[in-house]
Amino acid sequence: MPQETTVRPLTTVTDATFAELVLASDRPVVVDFWAEWCPPCKMIEKSLAELAQEFGDRLVIAKLNSDDNPQTTRRYQVMSLPTLLVFRRGEVVGSIVGSRPKLHLRQSLTLHAGL
């Protein structure tokens, strides 16, 4: 019988928790800026959850609802959704704008996060 794999839920960050969970993290963090009304955002959600499982403790993959958290969205000048920003030591080191296949996401996140 095939073993079921549980997909790890992504970490949710907000304007209030962004500094603590992203900027102060000792691990690289990918923040997915998304919105409920964004079909491409929904398309990459499953891939990001699967990648969070694959990367395990080496990388944090988080999501931030842009509509509910406009302060952080403005601060990083996010204009299109989905936008993934990769942070290391509190600094943006890479970005991916738009929906991409899982293979592209894996390669880009590995490169940007320095894994």
Side-chain angles (χ1 to χ4, degrees):
M1 182 174 247
Q3 187 174 359
E4 269 188 48
T5 56
T6 305
V7 176
R8 171 189 302 189
L10 301 179
T11 302
T12 299
V13 294
T14 65
D15 285 343
T17 63
F18 193 84
E20 174 191 352
L21 297 177
V22 177
L23 302 180
S25 178
D26 59 348
R27 294 180 285 163
V29 180
V30 177
V31 180
D32 172 24
F33 289 80
W34 69 282
E36 286 289 338
W37 50 263
C38 169
C41 297
K42 293 182 187 342
M43 289 171 53
I44 68 166
E45 186 175 17
K46 181 179 181 210
S47 293
L48 290 174
E50 291 170 355
L51 289 170
Q53 193 74 24
E54 284 181 34
F55 285 114
D57 291 335
R58 297 179 297 148
L59 177 70
V60 175
I61 300 182
K63 61 184 184 172
L64 181 135
N65 184 317
S66 294
D67 289 338
D68 296 342
N69 299 281
Q71 180 181 353
T72 304
T73 302
R74 275 193 306 270
R75 178 177 180 195
Y76 290 98
Q77 301 176 358
V78 173
M79 301 295 191
S80 297
L81 298 179
T83 291
L84 304 177
L85 295 181
V86 183
F87 291 82
R88 275 194 296 184
R89 293 181 226 64
E91 299 292 323
V92 176
V93 295
S95 66
I96 303 168
V97 179
S99 181
R100 299 285 186 269
K102 183 178 172 183
L103 177 61
H104 181 275
L105 292 172
R106 181 187 296 112
Q107 291 171 337
S108 295
L109 297 181
T110 299
L111 175 70
H112 292 311
L115 303 175

